[in-house]
Amino acid sequence: MSFPSHLRPRHLVLFLFLPFSLFAQTEAPPPGTDDEAQQQLIEDIAANAEEESDEFDFNAAFSLLEAYQQRPFDLNKITREELEETWLLTPIQISQLLEYRERMNGFVSVYELQVIPSMDLESIRRLARYTKVGGGLDDNKISFRRMLAEGDRELYVRAQRRLESRVGYERGPEDSLSYYLGSPERLYVRFRQKFSNRMSFGLTAEKDPGEAFFSENNSKRGFDFYSAHFYLRNIGKRVKAVAIGDYNISFGQGLMLYTGFGFGKSSQTTNIARGGQTLRPYTSVNEFSFLRGAATTLGFGEKTELTLFASRKGRTANLIQASDTLDLDPEELAVSSLNISGFNRTPNEVEDRNALTQTSYGASLRYRGSQRWQVGLNFLSENLSRPLDLRDQPYNVNFFQGTDLLNVGIDYRYRLKNFTFFGEVAASDNGGLAQLHGLMLGLDRYIDVSILYRNYEADYQSLSARPFGETASGRNEEGLYFGLELRPGAHWRINAYYDIFRFPYLRFNVDSPDQGHEYRFRLTYWQKRKLETYLELRSETKGFGLTGGEFFDAVAPRTRFQGRLHFGYKINPFLDWRSRIDAGFTKDERDGTQTGVMVYQDLHYRPRGPWSFSTRFALFNTEDYDVRFYQYENGLLYNARVVPYYGRGTRTFFLVRYKGIRSLTIEARIAQTFYTDGRTVGSGLEETNGPRGTDVGMQVVWRF
């Protein structure tokens, strides 16, 4: 008996003996809202960020999953870059999936995923929600007219505010220039039409709290920030993608340019490689991490593609008188820093709005020898309409200053059986170099390992770098990272990493070269669709500056340690209970040992009816901000929050969602922090003059 080329005996055996119940009940929660793995990633991003932020808009990173829920992708056609964009699998799992697909000449059934060594049951269930085998809309022959007719349209309208009055709203022009020009509401409107990952266009408008709305500097503009995009993929054999308006570009591992969603050290300890499409649409409200203009990806045969882009956008910056060191006209204005907050609330902030124009253009030539290896050559040119003239401080000596900056680089990826090698080398026009090289290895069904070495020279310069590292700047750092994932049993998983790093030159508030190390250990146990619990230990030691030096402050090590016990239990098909306790300390020579503890209880109710809700009650007691605990909070759809808990007090929130009207989702949320140690909520213009801060919000989502 003979079999067709696409059907082999191993497939018939799989159909007969694999447990079909594996993929039962795979209905997914709303993407980006209730998935534990996604919540943990967001917490990790906030905890590792250098800039404090209590709200993280991850809509661009996870909204793609919603499209795949409606129109699953074909497991035999999806590319590595497309899989990386879903955040459903680790790079090691993706490499082994592609290796299996190539070796077996494609999948016949999603049940075959169980044969792949690194695929545990939870990963398979998560992936199965969004994929199928055969057919699908990956077909390049789908016309633009059909995509318009069958695409998904969505309209978001959101309003939020803090109920308590803050100092910035109580002041006026007669007091100072430090007062808010607008109302305390945060307003957000977005329209988007999309067809899977093939087509997307839309408009986004946002007003931050304190910004004027149809008044003051925005009397004609209305909203303070607007973003529009048009994006098409797989237009033809030659034109692979086109973007007009706002878009994201990402080169290699982020040493030169990375404007999309990315993360570094996290609970996914072996997930250390950046990936995804070079060119993607931009749909977020971050007011600096995007490009504005036009871009295209052209294909030259099956193996070569060229991405070209040009961007021109205004940047908020602090205007100053140019210094003599730049050899410029003394009357010419320069800027002392590029602002990334996106706030235009006070007269001073408005004065700095669009103080300069940043022009960027570049290219990425990529050659794929096969599914096993690829190499990219990257070029980036940046021009500022005003010179960047930093303060005359020792730690600023190697930073970029002036108006023009060039970067060139090469990145690579090579897969040999279970080994995946990747890396990037980049240079700036002043001669500074940065390099990153990594290895991800799936040893067998039970063990995955990752190793990454990075060396970013102190004089390497880039305005848009976002590589893996202890800091986000991609300069003045050398380190070696080891990541491990063990799966010793069907319900057990161990994740761990150890990272050692050093800073060869001075940093802000650290007046000498320094070094440090960090480790993380997590032991997880789960039962299918019933229970997930884990124990995590995490510690980081690195230098910080002591005060009191005549010229330079002494540098001493500071250790931050945190332990966590998390427990999630599904009481019934509709009700989840989650409990967590965090405890930790910060220890250094100046302040001694400071301790803290936090505990919360969550309930998530998602019945088959139109109503659902999530709620939390938390208690926290820490001696200072240095002993803070970052916690994910369920927010309005695609408006997640990660809040640092510190001081002594309580934190509560209640989120209710109603889907009883066809095509409409209505949400409301209230959250409150109450300090019992006498401190006030907020500081500066954000201070509430009291121990209580109450935030309310409402959102309507119309899908049609």
Side-chain angles (χ1 to χ4, degrees):
M1 179 179 179
S2 62
F3 293 90
S5 60
H6 67 282
L7 187 63
R8 294 184 173 86
R10 51 109 181 180
H11 297 134
L12 299 182
V13 173
L14 285 168
F15 291 153
L16 289 173
F17 295 106
L18 287 181
F20 282 77
S21 62
L22 172 66
F23 299 100
Q25 303 178 18
T26 57
E27 181 180 354
T33 57
D34 298 312
D35 187 281
E36 284 272 10
Q38 294 173 4
Q39 292 181 17
Q40 184 60 59
L41 277 180
I42 299 167
E43 284 183 351
D44 292 336
I45 292 166
N48 289 323
E50 292 183 301
E51 297 290 334
E52 187 63 66
S53 175
D54 68 346
E55 185 167 335
F56 177 68
D57 185 344
F58 64 117
N59 140 48
F62 295 117
S63 64
L64 181 62
L65 294 181
E66 191 169 29
Y68 283 144
Q69 267 188 270
Q70 302 299 321
R71 298 181 175 86
F73 58 79
D74 186 349
L75 201 56
N76 284 324
K77 295 181 180 180
I78 192 167
T79 66
R80 170 187 286 277
E81 290 78 13
E82 290 170 331
L83 275 173
E84 288 170 337
E85 288 178 339
T86 65
W87 303 100
L88 295 171
L89 302 175
T90 69
I92 291 176
Q93 290 174 323
I94 293 174
S95 293
Q96 292 187 354
L97 185 153
L98 297 176
E99 176 80 23
Y100 178 87
R101 187 174 74 180
E102 181 179 329
R103 187 175 69 251
M104 305 305 293
N105 196 27
F107 291 88
V108 169
S109 167
V110 292
Y111 302 121
E112 293 178 65
L113 291 170
Q114 293 178 97
V115 181
I116 298 173
S118 63
M119 286 286 191
D120 56 71
L121 296 184
E122 290 302 312
S123 297
I124 296 173
R125 290 191 187 96
R126 190 164 58 242
L127 183 65
R129 299 167 179 168
Y130 309 103
T131 187
K132 63 181 180 181
V133 173
L137 53 124
D138 308 74
D139 190 351
N140 293 338
K141 296 182 180 180
I142 295 178
S143 67
F144 179 67
R145 178 177 297 180
R146 179 181 169 188
M147 287 191 288
L148 280 177
E150 299 181 10
D152 302 310
R153 290 166 290 274
E154 55 187 22
L155 176 66
Y156 286 72
V157 179
R158 180 194 308 152
Q160 299 165 286
R161 67 162 294 170
R162 175 160 290 177
L163 296 182
E164 291 80 12
S165 178
R166 283 167 280 180
V167 171
Y169 301 101
E170 298 172 355
R171 294 182 179 178
E174 65 281 358
D175 295 323
S176 68
L177 293 180
S178 295
Y179 65 94
Y180 291 156
L181 296 169
S183 66
E185 287 80 25
R186 180 192 300 265
L187 303 177
Y188 172 88
V189 176
R190 187 186 80 174
F191 168 79
R192 185 183 183 190
Q193 179 163 344
K194 58 185 177 181
F195 188 86
S196 187
N197 65 346
R198 293 280 311 280
M199 179 196 75
S200 177
F201 63 87
L203 173 69
T204 301
E206 186 198 42
K207 166 203 169 311
D208 288 314
E211 293 178 341
F213 186 61
F214 285 106
S215 64
E216 299 289 344
N217 61 300
N218 289 324
S219 59
K220 295 182 179 180
R221 291 172 49 89
F223 290 92
D224 187 77
F225 175 74
Y226 290 92
S227 175
H229 76 280
F230 179 83
Y231 176 81
L232 280 177
R233 285 192 62 213
N234 298 335
I235 301 172
K237 291 184 178 180
R238 177 59 56 86
V239 182
K240 299 296 184 181
V242 169
I244 300 173
D246 295 345
Y247 56 91
N248 281 322
I249 290 283
S250 297
F251 288 168
Q253 297 302 311
L255 290 181
M256 292 170 50
L257 174 63
Y258 202 93
T259 59
F261 176 81
F263 61 95
K265 290 176 281 190
S266 75
S267 57
Q268 294 190 12
T269 50
T270 59
N271 194 349
I272 56 175
R274 297 286 168 90
Q277 301 289 331
T278 302
L279 173 61
R280 300 182 303 280
Y282 180 76
T283 60
S284 188
V285 290
N286 185 305
E287 298 187 24
F288 76 96
S289 185
F290 67 93
L291 297 167
R292 176 167 288 175
T296 185
T297 297
L298 305 175
F300 300 92
E302 296 183 356
K303 297 182 178 182
T304 306
E305 67 179 34
L306 174 65
T307 298
L308 303 169
F309 71 92
S311 168
R312 185 178 176 88
K313 64 179 182 180
R315 288 292 301 269
T316 297
N318 298 317
L319 288 167
I320 60 170
Q321 192 79 17
S323 70
D324 296 335
T325 59
L326 290 175
D327 194 24
L328 297 168
D329 183 343
E331 298 300 318
E332 184 174 351
L333 290 177
V335 297
S336 62
S337 64
L338 299 176
N339 189 290
I340 61 174
S341 71
F343 292 135
N344 299 294
R345 305 162 299 181
T346 69
N348 286 333
E349 290 175 345
V350 170
E351 183 181 1
D352 291 340
R353 188 178 189 273
N354 294 333
L356 62 77
T357 300
Q358 181 177 350
T359 302
S360 309
Y361 64 89
S364 178
L365 179 64
R366 190 157 302 278
Y367 181 81
R368 294 179 175 86
S370 66
Q371 286 286 348
R372 293 181 175 272
W373 69 275
Q374 64 179 29
V375 62
L377 299 176
N378 308 309
F379 167 81
L380 173 64
S381 174
E382 304 269 27
N383 172 266
L384 304 179
S385 61
R386 298 182 186 274
L388 182 60
D389 185 9
L390 303 179
R391 290 194 306 161
D392 187 16
Q393 295 290 333
Y395 63 84
N396 279 333
V397 168
N398 293 310
F399 275 93
F400 166 70
Q401 301 193 59
T403 58
D404 297 285
L405 176 63
L406 291 176
N407 294 101
V408 294
I410 181 171
D411 67 88
Y412 65 91
R413 186 189 294 263
Y414 177 67
R415 174 168 54 88
L416 176 63
K417 295 185 178 180
N418 291 335
F419 293 79
T420 299
F421 302 89
F422 65 94
E424 182 178 6
V425 179
S428 50
D429 55 6
N430 68 332
L433 292 175
Q435 58 182 310
L436 176 155
H437 307 280
L439 166 66
M440 297 180 295
L441 171 62
L443 292 175
D444 56 27
R445 180 173 291 275
Y446 308 105
I447 305 175
D448 294 338
V449 175
S450 289
I451 303 173
L452 185 145
Y453 170 75
R454 59 198 187 272
N455 188 347
Y456 313 144
E457 294 181 357
D459 59 347
Y460 176 71
Q461 299 174 351
S462 175
L463 292 177
S464 305
R466 284 185 61 201
F468 181 99
E470 177 63 18
T471 62
S473 60
R475 57 173 300 278
N476 188 31
E477 180 179 338
E478 183 179 15
L480 185 60
Y481 173 96
F482 300 91
L484 175 70
E485 180 172 312
L486 301 176
R487 296 173 291 275
H491 302 288
W492 294 89
R493 184 170 62 249
I494 298 173
N495 291 88
Y497 68 69
Y498 183 76
D499 187 38
I500 53 176
F501 46 84
R502 70 182 187 94
F503 308 105
Y505 192 68
L506 317 184
R507 295 178 291 136
F508 178 69
N509 282 342
V510 181
D511 292 339
S512 74
D514 183 37
Q515 60 186 4
H517 62 272
E518 179 180 356
Y519 70 81
R520 186 172 190 163
F521 172 85
R522 174 182 286 197
L523 174 65
T524 303
Y525 173 79
W526 76 89
Q527 295 178 0
K528 182 176 63 176
R529 293 188 295 273
K530 189 71 174 179
L531 167 71
E532 178 172 3
T533 183
Y534 65 82
L535 171 68
E536 179 176 280
L537 305 175
R538 183 178 183 182
S539 177
E540 179 187 63
T541 299
K542 63 181 178 181
F544 82 109
L546 298 171
T547 59
E550 184 176 356
F551 298 103
F552 292 97
D553 292 336
V555 176
R558 168 180 285 173
T559 297
R560 292 185 61 195
F561 174 86
Q562 292 186 355
R564 169 178 294 175
L565 180 61
H566 178 91
F567 182 85
Y569 184 74
K570 186 175 287 293
I571 298 174
N572 59 48
F574 313 123
L575 185 62
D576 291 351
W577 170 44
R578 296 173 190 168
S579 181
R580 175 180 295 180
I581 180 170
D582 283 353
F585 65 85
T586 298
K587 183 178 181 180
D588 58 59
E589 181 180 319
R590 184 187 67 189
D591 300 319
T593 301
Q594 303 176 76
T595 61
V597 65
M598 187 284 317
V599 60
Y600 76 55
Q601 303 288 334
D602 279 7
L603 285 177
H604 305 277
Y605 179 63
R606 295 184 292 269
R608 299 184 186 278
W611 293 95
S612 63
F613 72 82
S614 297
T615 186
R616 168 176 299 172
F617 178 74
L619 294 168
F620 52 90
N621 186 354
T622 78
E623 294 186 42
D624 201 352
Y625 176 77
D626 289 333
V627 193
R628 58 193 179 275
F629 302 102
Y630 287 92
Q631 308 296 345
Y632 175 92
E633 295 185 354
N634 297 77
L636 304 174
L637 191 60
Y638 298 132
N639 188 234
R641 301 179 66 86
V642 178
V643 179
Y645 293 9
Y646 63 93
R648 185 170 69 247
T650 64
R651 174 75 179 176
T652 57
F653 75 80
F654 184 83
L655 168 69
V656 61
R657 184 175 292 133
Y658 178 71
K659 294 184 176 181
I661 305 174
R662 184 178 180 181
S663 301
L664 281 180
T665 299
I666 303 174
E667 304 171 293
R669 185 181 190 272
I670 182 169
Q672 184 181 91
T673 297
F674 180 75
Y675 289 116
T676 59
D677 56 3
R679 73 177 67 202
T680 59
V681 175
S683 60
L685 297 182
E686 286 292 292
E687 186 175 350
T688 62
N689 290 320
R692 182 181 287 105
T694 308
D695 298 305
V696 297
M698 183 173 181
Q699 179 169 264
V700 176
V701 182
W702 181 29
R703 294 186 171 93
F704 55 100

